[in-house]
Amino acid sequence: MSVKRSAARLLAALLSTSVLSAGAVAQTTVTSAPPASFTLGNGMQVVVIPDHRTPVVTEMIWYKVGSADETPGKSGLAHFLEHLMFKGTSKHPVGEFSQTVLRVGGNENASTSVDYTNYYQRVPKEQLPTMMEFEADRMTGLILKDENVLPERDVVLEEYNMRVANNPEARLNEQIMAALYLNHPYGRPVIGWHQEIEKLDREDALAFYRRFYAPNNAILVIAGDVEAADIRPLVERNFGSIPAQPAIPARRIRPQEPEPAAPRTVTLADPRVEQPSLRRYYLAPSATTAAAGESAALDVLAQLMGSGSNSYLYRALVVDKPLAVSASASYSSISLDPTQFAVSAAPKPGVSFTEVEQVIDGVIADIAQNPIRAEDLERVKTQLIAEAIYAQDNQAVLARWYGGALTTGLSIEDIRSWPDRIRAVTAEQVRAVAQKWLEKKRSVTGYLIKDPAAAKREEKRS
């Protein structure tokens, strides 16, 4: 399902090494060669990220289509098709692709988000030609029959029950997103609305597949023990002859949000809730839509406010008062359209949401009105860059970061220059984005509480 998460803020230094000191972000960056990138005649972009530490390769294909591109009334279709892409072709019947991956000791998976769908395999390097042939074949050769489509729809419905219907936190998040996006399709759940998933069928899936699955709507990322000079002939041989889909527009244009006029609240009561919590989402610009410097400043603001025990929210709510058992903040920068800046907290027993919100509002007001302390600013910038460097050890993470960024409108240079943009963030920029984007009217606050009726039943039993 969705992988749209705050790896976004680590989007970062993917192939660079920064020299860090304990007290501040160093000003020296030693940068390795950028990944190779080329485009086939049919429009498919290819990115090759050499990583010769182990004889392993990750192939990851990204389609620039997600839940926000679905036809209204067909929510969940992008995710449904992701499941169906494993149902085989005339050349490779159902199960053969997955069995081959397992037989060579590899692993595979797929995910759907609001802006993209991706499929990957991680295998020994000598198996890459086989994996690429399979992946190219299912770009156009998918065969769907009711006998495997309908049972898979039941699988998706069960996934909905497990991930959403039986998870109060997920239900709250679903309701907050629906309230935050009044007009934009990001308000629809990636997995879909239950009553619309129930009606999806073979014809819906095939129409979506034929409309969006084409080389000119795809990015192929290869990370691992490979070189671009060796990869290009292999990619040309497997994907080069697949025709482009001329109906796919160069730019995705979606309904956009009106300027927010008032704060909104959502309350979800559930008998399974043992720890009440609150979440507040602010509508904020993404790395793609933000003005110069704003996205990096929001990354720094989220780290400053709510990452770790030294963050402002944690200290104000958990250490200094204390009113809450946890407090955090996050910013999801990787998004084609406006995204979310989130704060959350879980109050201690006997503490009201109002008390917690007053502290949250106070922290935000203080940041928006007063300069950030220099030592705090340098500390969080060091943390962000260091986290990104450490994360480079995972080959699949490298492929995922590039794919996620490129499918949402960023460039390779945007990815590689992220540490420099973080270094350049000033205290004034942090103050300015807090003042501009963390306005209450831009927000939806969600409250998760125990169902009062259930609580009364428990009292009677005791």
Side-chain angles (χ1 to χ4, degrees):
M1 233 188 93
S2 173
V3 295
K4 187 182 175 191
R5 282 280 304 133
S6 62
R9 72 181 185 189
L10 303 179
L11 153 70
L14 297 185
L15 292 177
S16 67
T17 305
S18 297
V19 181
L20 303 176
S21 65
V25 179
Q27 295 303 308
T28 304
T29 302
V30 180
T31 306
S32 60
S37 179
F38 56 89
T39 302
L40 302 186
N42 56 17
M44 189 171 82
Q45 183 180 1
V46 183
V47 176
V48 182
I49 310 168
D51 174 13
H52 300 295
R53 291 173 294 181
T54 57
V56 174
V57 64
T58 297
E59 173 183 66
M60 190 173 287
I61 191 162
W62 297 73
Y63 290 97
K64 289 182 273 189
V65 60
S67 61
D69 302 296
E70 296 159 347
T71 302
K74 303 285 184 182
S75 66
L77 186 50
H79 175 249
F80 183 39
L81 179 58
E82 176 215 306
H83 278 240
L84 296 175
M85 284 292 286
F86 294 86
K87 297 305 179 184
T89 67
S90 58
K91 289 177 65 177
H92 301 293
V94 60
E96 183 183 345
F97 195 169
S98 296
Q99 289 164 10
T100 302
V101 173
L102 290 173
R103 190 164 57 248
V104 302
N107 59 68
E108 64 169 352
N109 213 327
S111 64
T112 305
S113 187
V114 290
D115 293 317
Y116 54 72
T117 311
N118 69 62
Y119 305 84
Y120 82 87
Q121 307 85 41
R122 192 173 191 219
V123 295
K125 61 179 292 187
E126 64 272 13
Q127 297 297 325
L128 178 60
T130 301
M131 297 300 108
M132 198 175 291
E133 190 276 323
F134 273 114
E135 201 62 86
D137 177 49
R138 71 174 172 182
M139 179 180 277
T140 59
L142 184 65
I143 292 178
L144 297 180
K145 300 177 181 177
D146 281 344
E147 62 200 55
N148 53 32
V149 170
L150 299 181
E152 198 62 36
R153 185 179 64 192
D154 292 337
V155 170
V156 174
L157 287 167
E158 184 53 37
E159 182 181 344
Y160 177 91
N161 290 335
M162 179 182 69
R163 289 176 178 257
V164 183
N166 293 322
N167 184 335
E169 290 189 355
R171 288 302 302 274
L172 178 64
N173 187 70
E174 174 191 80
Q175 297 300 308
I176 292 173
M177 289 292 284
L180 184 67
Y181 291 99
L182 301 176
N183 194 47
H184 193 285
Y186 284 169
R188 296 195 298 256
V190 171
I191 197 168
W193 298 113
H194 191 280
Q195 76 276 11
E196 293 184 352
I197 301 170
E198 289 178 314
K199 297 176 182 176
L200 297 177
D201 59 24
R202 173 181 172 274
E203 288 71 27
D204 292 327
L206 281 174
F208 197 76
Y209 172 70
R210 290 166 182 157
R211 180 181 174 190
F212 291 111
Y213 278 55
N216 55 318
N217 204 39
I219 299 172
L220 180 67
V221 181
I222 307 291
D225 193 15
V226 294
E227 291 294 338
D230 301 322
I231 289 296
R232 184 157 193 161
L234 186 62
V235 176
E236 291 276 9
R237 184 165 65 249
N238 284 282
F239 289 96
S241 62
I242 300 175
Q245 166 56 273
I248 294 173
R251 258 186 92 230
R252 287 184 274 181
I253 300 175
R254 296 157 170 170
Q256 295 297 303
E257 281 299 293
E259 187 62 23
R264 283 144 277 165
T265 62
V266 173
T267 301
L268 180 69
D270 190 289
R272 295 164 293 188
V273 173
E274 297 301 329
Q275 172 61 63
S277 63
L278 73 86
R279 297 181 194 175
R280 185 186 295 165
Y281 286 10
Y282 294 88
L283 191 66
S286 67
T288 304
T289 64
E294 281 194 331
S295 180
L298 286 164
D299 275 323
V300 171
L301 176 61
Q303 186 80 5
L304 188 73
M305 282 181 60
S307 182
S309 58
N310 285 322
S311 66
Y312 289 1
L313 282 177
Y314 190 91
R315 292 199 64 83
L317 283 167
V318 180
V319 179
D320 295 343
K321 294 295 183 185
L323 298 173
V325 297
S326 65
S328 64
S330 64
Y331 166 59
S332 300
S333 67
I334 301 305
S335 180
L336 188 63
D337 292 319
T339 186
Q340 314 91 45
F341 188 104
V343 296
S344 63
K348 284 190 166 186
V351 176
S352 69
F353 287 131
T354 300
E355 292 174 272
V356 171
E357 285 190 88
Q358 285 173 347
V359 175
I360 292 173
D361 291 340
V363 168
I364 293 171
D366 183 58
I367 294 171
Q369 294 165 13
N370 302 303
I372 303 300
R373 291 187 296 272
E375 60 270 29
D376 291 341
L377 185 64
E378 294 306 313
R379 170 175 52 82
V380 299
K381 291 197 287 189
T382 299
Q383 290 170 349
L384 285 169
I385 296 172
E387 286 174 10
I389 292 168
Y390 300 147
Q392 292 176 58
D393 284 338
N394 190 315
Q395 182 187 105
V397 168
L398 294 182
R400 190 172 298 282
W401 278 346
Y402 274 101
L406 293 170
T407 52
T408 53
L410 299 180
S411 67
I412 289 175
E413 179 54 31
D414 290 331
I415 299 166
R416 291 174 58 77
S417 64
W418 186 85
D420 295 328
R421 295 198 301 279
I422 292 296
R423 284 192 189 93
V425 171
T426 66
E428 174 56 28
Q429 284 178 307
V430 175
R431 187 198 64 76
V433 295
Q435 190 176 79
K436 181 177 180 180
W437 298 112
L438 302 193
E439 277 194 289
K440 209 66 170 296
K441 71 177 183 180
R442 303 188 62 82
S443 73
V444 175
T445 304
Y447 306 102
L448 185 64
I449 64 173
K450 191 173 186 68
D451 184 349
K456 288 179 180 179
R457 288 195 295 271
E458 285 185 7
E459 286 178 11
K460 289 180 180 178
R461 282 198 296 268
S462 62

